[in-house]
Amino acid sequence: MLDYSGMDWREMMLANCATNLALSGDKTRARELYRHCLTLYPDSRLAKPALLFLGPEDPADNHGDETQ
C-alpha cells in the first residue's frame, strides 16, 4: 500500500518466489516463473535482469526428469 517502488505486489511476489527457487537450485522453475512475470509485467525491473543473470537453459538443470 505504501510501497514507493511503484511495482505491483503481484510482480514482487512472483519475482521473490522465482528468486527463492533459483537460490534453492531449481533454476528451471525459476526461469519459468520469471517468464510468467514478464508475461504479466513486460517492463519488470526484477524479472529481466534475473533471467539474464540465470543465463541460458542448461539441460542438467532439469529437476523434473528422473530418468538419469
Side-chain angles (χ1 to χ4, degrees), residues 12-42:
M12 287 189 286
M13 183 264 316
L14 286 168
N16 285 334
C17 289
T19 300
N20 288 333
L21 286 168
L23 290 173
S24 69
D26 195 348
K27 293 180 181 179
T28 301
R29 286 182 54 198
R31 282 184 190 93
E32 290 172 5
L33 205 50
Y34 282 129
R35 287 185 191 118
H36 180 66
C37 184
L38 283 174
T39 301
L40 299 173
Y41 305 96

Side-chain angles (χ1 to χ4, degrees), residues 44-62:
S44 175
R45 297 180 313 198
L46 298 172
K48 283 181 180 181
L51 278 172
L52 290 174
F53 179 76
L54 285 175
E57 287 278 341
D58 183 7
D61 285 344
N62 191 359

